[in-house]
Amino acid sequence: VQLQASGGGLVQPGGSLRLSCAASGNIFAINDMRWYRQAPGKQRELVASIAVGGAATYGDSVKGRFTISRDNAKKTVYLQMNSLKPEDTAVYLCNAAIFQHGTRMWSDFWGQGTLVTVSS
């Protein structure tokens, strides 16, 4: 299983970016999909999570600015980030709970991360 994240880059404060993370490989089912972020010298932080049916939760620091969504047919999760602030600068990592063919359990998989830099 691979999770391929994309969409990061350099953006000015107040700007927007949209991240994508596509899952591929031996996948029978995908449960929750999540975005985390890790800034230099800081602990990894849960940004947003979305269930199969679309129910979403957000970290306090991004509520009202970020929106998580998913396309189950494409096995892809998105993170629309608006009103970006310098403190949003971090490596953004996607994570998913995946049930693989031939197994009997859910496993956590991580993408490689995509860097978001918010600076003027």
Side-chain angles (χ1 to χ4, degrees), residues 58-95:
Y58 297 91
D60 288 341
S61 61
V62 306
K63 281 181 182 175
R65 300 188 298 123
F66 290 11
T67 302
I68 189 170
S69 61
R70 65 190 285 171
D71 184 328
N72 292 327
K74 294 182 179 180
K75 300 183 180 68
T76 300
V77 62
Y78 306 96
L79 186 68
Q80 177 66 44
M81 306 185 293
N82 298 329
S83 303
L84 282 161
K85 305 174 182 179
E87 50 263 44
D88 294 318
T89 295
V91 174
Y92 284 72
L93 304 109
C94 57
N95 165 270

Side-chain angles (χ1 to χ4, degrees), residues 5 10 13-14 17 23 26 32 42 44 46 51-52 60 64 66 71 75-76 93 102-103 107:
L10 174 64
L17 278 177
N26 177 20
D32 288 359
K42 294 188 176 181
R44 187 170 293 182
L46 177 61
V52 172
D60 288 341
F66 290 11
D71 184 328
K75 300 183 180 68
T76 300
L93 304 109
T103 68
S107 299

Side-chain angles (χ1 to χ4, degrees), residues 98-113:
I98 293 175
F99 200 104
Q100 295 180 277
H101 293 281
T103 68
R104 295 183 179 185
M105 59 188 293
W106 294 90
S107 299
D108 250 13
F109 289 88
W110 291 86
Q112 85 288 2

